[in-house]
Amino acid sequence: MPKIVDHDQYRKELLSKCFDLFAQKGYGSVTMRQIAQEMGVSTGTLYHYFSSKEALFEQLVEEISQQDVSAALAELEGKETLSEAMTALGKYLVKNEDYFIKWTFVWVDFCQHQDSEKLRHQSSVFKRANQRYQQAACSFLGVQDQVLASFVLSFVNGLILEKLCGDETIDFVEQCTLLGKMLTAYLQQNSTIQN
Amino acid sequence: MPKIVDHDQYRKELLSKCFDLFAQKGYGSVTMRQIAQEMGVSTGTLYHYFSSKEALFEQLVEEISQQDVSAALAELEGKETLSEAMTALGKYLVKNEDYFIKWTFVWVDFCQHQDSEKLRHQSSVFKRANQRYQQAACSFLGVQDQVLASFVLSFVNGLILEKLCGDETIDFVEQCTLLGKMLTAYLQQNSTIQN
Amino acid sequence: MPKIVDHDQYRKELLSKCFDLFAQKGYGSVTMRQIAQEMGVSTGTLYHYFSSKEALFEQLVEEISQQDVSAALAELEGKETLSEAMTALGKYLVKNEDYFIKWTFVWVDFCQHQDSEKLRHQSSVFKRANQRYQQAACSFLGVQDQVLASFVLSFVNGLILEKLCGDETIDFVEQCTLLGKMLTAYLQQNSTIQN
Amino acid sequence: MPKIVDHDQYRKELLSKCFDLFAQKGYGSVTMRQIAQEMGVSTGTLYHYFSSKEALFEQLVEEISQQDVSAALAELEGKETLSEAMTALGKYLVKNEDYFIKWTFVWVDFCQHQDSEKLRHQSSVFKRANQRYQQAACSFLGVQDQVLASFVLSFVNGLILEKLCGDETIDFVEQCTLLGKMLTAYLQQNSTIQN
DNA sequence: AATGAATGAGCGTTCATTCAT
DNA sequence: TATGAATGAACGCTCATTCAT
């Protein structure tokens, strides 16, 4: 079944081309014509691959949420100390700032357009994505504490959100360094207590 | 003599009525007819008070960003220990979860529709708002470290963002408690070192 | 009944203020708000004096068509020769070019918005105006030939129409001089024949 | 392969269908829905062929101004005497009265909506049209005098304008006959003098 | 007499979507 | 498979008009 493979592959290629468009304008302000033009196809072809604007957007979100987080994490892992890891994290955020901001725009947009019913149905995508992030965070931190992982994820999300909102004073490296110090202090204290 | 109404006051009343609508649907997906209906006026009246959809949205953001943060902070201040303060923060977040989520939706939406030129012009609103938050955070934490204030703000924003994205596993109180512990450990360590 | 006199007088003053507006934009493109603003009154006041936009326009046309043509003709009469009279006519047209062009715009606009039924009803205005023009033309030319009067009127209207359409090559004085020569030649020939 | 239609050809066909509409109501009072209905297409299709109401109107004017005047002149030429020619002209005007009146309505309307800046840009259309008319008039009269050509054109325009304004007393044949006599007298006199 | 806030139908235009080719 | 012409509902917005003050 080579056709189907091609079809599906082409579909994903098309999707990747409209990520920026949704990130910059938001679901409600992007038109199917703009998407088609960005993809380099006609509107007819667009509808040949996606049944509706909504379906296209959902598939886009599914696609980007399935992007392998482990590959990215590989770049961050293998640091000897927490301090080094945090510096690496900060630099990583700086390097991919634009992408993370776009990703956040699309993600928030998607959440906004999910009414509660659909949220149940779609939650599998969300949950799987979230689990991957949590696992990656645990692996990265070298701990198994889910709450701690959530803490770090929230903090990182928050940093990006601040940047996205135009706060140019925030410094990813500085903030991650601070996180490193706090984590170190916290973990030391805990281990001391536990000992 | 015409009907006496406080034009400006009425404008703000109208604005407050469409906050939820923008939060739920997003700028691009809300129609002026929906807004008018939600406000209980005709579209003509809507345009009597707001020159365009864009102007209306900008005024909405300006309005909600000017809401006095100090009033909210009063509820949180006056805690003896960091631990107590963090528990209070967690409970506060839980209590106002819906509002903060809506606020975040609107804020992100607004950022998305600002092109870089306008961002400079609008930045005063952003900057003033951000400064208020930073000051409040410093006051709340009882420290003057701007970086630490940014850290806490980012974390809180991140928590709300997680919730907004449908992560129901996150627990505001639990997370804030963890933040309290980490802050305590970090500050103790620092004071020890400085001593 | 002084009130009524004032009312009517004020109404005519208001009308005179919107002549230019209708001439420049045309009936369909002028808004009642623009008219009110041009008049320096509120829309409410506007409707106090005119029952509708249509009524206002009709009254405007009636007003300008009743403007005493004899006063204007006084400026042109009393010329010894046809040649002198035609030179005076040409200069008169040059001097009042803008006004005649506006007048033509409004008049054509009015004719366009008269459906055939109303035309019968309104024709009295038209007919009376036209009779005045014909009489004036006869008096001006010093003849009683209605066809000749129509000829001259048509020609003058045509000159203004050409100018209105942007033909800057046309020269009123030159054209009127030519008209004078042709009339002279024609009248001489006729009198010769008749003798 | 898409539906094959000659886009440009179809555009012109559509244009021809809305000439009467603009002539009867005027630019400002015609709606795009009315135009679409008259053309037998949807509003969406209308905008597929014309980017805006203004663009549509401009193209309409360009189209009708490019209609070959020479074809019409062929019907008038070849008369032995000026007198015959003028009788033919009068009959021609009577026969095409409706068309000329509509044409005048549209043309005046167009001039009204041209602001001075655009007039410069559009003047090429006007100037070319006017030149064609002048040439035709010269050819028709059998003379090369531009001023005389303008005279006749103005007169004819004036006749139509009078008719358009509802003056039913005017008689095209009678007037043109008079024009013939005047021209004859004038030209005879001139040739006599020149001899 | 005078105001301008209020209305909602209707404006020019765009939209997601369909379908003959 | 791929196209883009076609649709008509719905968009943001404006309009002539009304009416409480």
Side-chain angles (χ1 to χ4, degrees), chain C residues 7 9 16 20 42 55 58 61 138 148 174 181:
Chain C
H7 184 97
Q9 178 57 28
S16 69
D20 284 19
S42 65
E58 283 174 4
V61 173
C138 290
L148 201 60
E174 189 180 45
K181 288 178 187 169

mmCIF file of all heavy atoms in Angstrom, chain C residues 7 9 16 20 42 55 58 61 138 148 174 181:
data_model
loop_
_atom_site.group_PDB
_atom_site.id
_atom_site.type_symbol
_atom_site.label_atom_id
_atom_site.label_comp_id
_atom_site.label_asym_id
_atom_site.label_seq_id
_atom_site.Cartn_x
_atom_site.Cartn_y
_atom_site.Cartn_z
ATOM 1 N N HIS C 7 -38.523 79.372 11.197
ATOM 2 C CA HIS C 7 -38.341 77.964 10.890
ATOM 3 C C HIS C 7 -37.996 77.783 9.413
ATOM 4 O O HIS C 7 -37.013 77.129 9.068
ATOM 5 C CB HIS C 7 -39.624 77.200 11.232
ATOM 6 C CG HIS C 7 -39.520 75.727 11.041
ATOM 7 N ND1 HIS C 7 -39.243 74.865 12.075
ATOM 8 C CD2 HIS C 7 -39.639 74.961 9.935
ATOM 9 C CE1 HIS C 7 -39.199 73.635 11.607
ATOM 10 N NE2 HIS C 7 -39.439 73.658 10.309
ATOM 11 N N GLN C 9 -37.042 80.008 7.201
ATOM 12 C CA GLN C 9 -35.815 80.687 6.826
ATOM 13 C C GLN C 9 -34.596 79.853 7.223
ATOM 14 O O GLN C 9 -33.653 79.672 6.445
ATOM 15 C CB GLN C 9 -35.765 82.057 7.528
ATOM 16 C CG GLN C 9 -34.495 82.852 7.261
ATOM 17 C CD GLN C 9 -34.290 83.079 5.767
ATOM 18 O OE1 GLN C 9 -35.235 83.123 4.992
ATOM 19 N NE2 GLN C 9 -33.037 83.193 5.366
ATOM 20 N N SER C 16 -28.683 75.462 2.128
ATOM 21 C CA SER C 16 -27.584 76.042 1.348
ATOM 22 C C SER C 16 -26.239 75.484 1.777
ATOM 23 O O SER C 16 -25.280 75.471 1.002
ATOM 24 C CB SER C 16 -27.592 77.558 1.490
ATOM 25 O OG SER C 16 -27.234 77.914 2.814
ATOM 26 N N ASP C 20 -22.734 71.855 -1.562
ATOM 27 C CA ASP C 20 -21.415 71.361 -1.957
ATOM 28 C C ASP C 20 -21.258 69.869 -1.676
ATOM 29 O O ASP C 20 -20.687 69.128 -2.475
ATOM 30 C CB ASP C 20 -20.311 72.125 -1.213
ATOM 31 C CG ASP C 20 -20.102 73.519 -1.798
ATOM 32 O OD1 ASP C 20 -21.017 74.006 -2.487
ATOM 33 O OD2 ASP C 20 -19.042 74.108 -1.565
ATOM 34 N N SER C 42 -27.076 68.723 15.125
ATOM 35 C CA SER C 42 -27.113 67.288 15.423
ATOM 36 C C SER C 42 -28.045 66.589 14.433
ATOM 37 O O SER C 42 -28.842 67.237 13.746
ATOM 38 C CB SER C 42 -27.612 67.064 16.833
ATOM 39 O OG SER C 42 -28.949 67.487 16.936
ATOM 40 N N ALA C 55 -36.422 63.792 1.245
ATOM 41 C CA ALA C 55 -37.129 65.065 1.306
ATOM 42 C C ALA C 55 -36.131 66.219 1.319
ATOM 43 O O ALA C 55 -36.332 67.244 0.652
ATOM 44 C CB ALA C 55 -38.010 65.116 2.549
ATOM 45 N N GLU C 58 -34.749 66.692 -2.166
ATOM 46 C CA GLU C 58 -35.740 67.309 -3.052
ATOM 47 C C GLU C 58 -35.869 68.802 -2.770
ATOM 48 O O GLU C 58 -35.956 69.613 -3.690
ATOM 49 C CB GLU C 58 -37.090 66.605 -2.886
ATOM 50 C CG GLU C 58 -37.125 65.260 -3.599
ATOM 51 C CD GLU C 58 -38.418 64.502 -3.315
ATOM 52 O OE1 GLU C 58 -39.309 65.056 -2.638
ATOM 53 O OE2 GLU C 58 -38.518 63.341 -3.763
ATOM 54 N N VAL C 61 -32.916 70.643 -4.210
ATOM 55 C CA VAL C 61 -33.017 70.854 -5.654
ATOM 56 C C VAL C 61 -34.048 71.940 -5.958
ATOM 57 O O VAL C 61 -33.801 72.826 -6.783
ATOM 58 C CB VAL C 61 -33.399 69.537 -6.365
ATOM 59 C CG1 VAL C 61 -33.674 69.792 -7.840
ATOM 60 C CG2 VAL C 61 -32.281 68.520 -6.205
ATOM 61 N N CYS C 138 -34.092 83.788 -24.383
ATOM 62 C CA CYS C 138 -34.709 84.628 -25.408
ATOM 63 C C CYS C 138 -34.381 86.087 -25.168
ATOM 64 O O CYS C 138 -33.981 86.823 -26.079
ATOM 65 C CB CYS C 138 -36.236 84.444 -25.413
ATOM 66 S SG CYS C 138 -36.746 82.835 -26.032
ATOM 67 N N LEU C 148 -34.362 78.283 -30.940
ATOM 68 C CA LEU C 148 -33.047 78.904 -30.848
ATOM 69 C C LEU C 148 -32.602 79.009 -29.383
ATOM 70 O O LEU C 148 -31.432 78.758 -29.045
ATOM 71 C CB LEU C 148 -33.097 80.297 -31.482
ATOM 72 C CG LEU C 148 -31.764 80.886 -31.932
ATOM 73 C CD1 LEU C 148 -31.115 79.979 -32.969
ATOM 74 C CD2 LEU C 148 -31.959 82.291 -32.502
ATOM 75 N N GLU C 174 -13.701 80.985 -25.997
ATOM 76 C CA GLU C 174 -13.511 80.612 -27.401
ATOM 77 C C GLU C 174 -14.775 80.002 -27.990
ATOM 78 O O GLU C 174 -15.208 80.355 -29.091
ATOM 79 C CB GLU C 174 -12.355 79.606 -27.471
ATOM 80 C CG GLU C 174 -11.874 79.253 -28.860
ATOM 81 C CD GLU C 174 -10.725 78.239 -28.791
ATOM 82 O OE1 GLU C 174 -10.838 77.263 -28.016
ATOM 83 O OE2 GLU C 174 -9.726 78.426 -29.509
ATOM 84 N N LYS C 181 -20.458 83.980 -33.546
ATOM 85 C CA LYS C 181 -20.261 84.082 -35.001
ATOM 86 C C LYS C 181 -21.321 83.286 -35.744
ATOM 87 O O LYS C 181 -21.887 83.738 -36.741
ATOM 88 C CB LYS C 181 -18.871 83.574 -35.386
ATOM 89 C CG LYS C 181 -17.742 84.521 -34.968
ATOM 90 C CD LYS C 181 -16.387 83.931 -35.342
ATOM 91 C CE LYS C 181 -15.238 84.771 -34.792
ATOM 92 N NZ LYS C 181 -13.954 84.071 -34.915
#
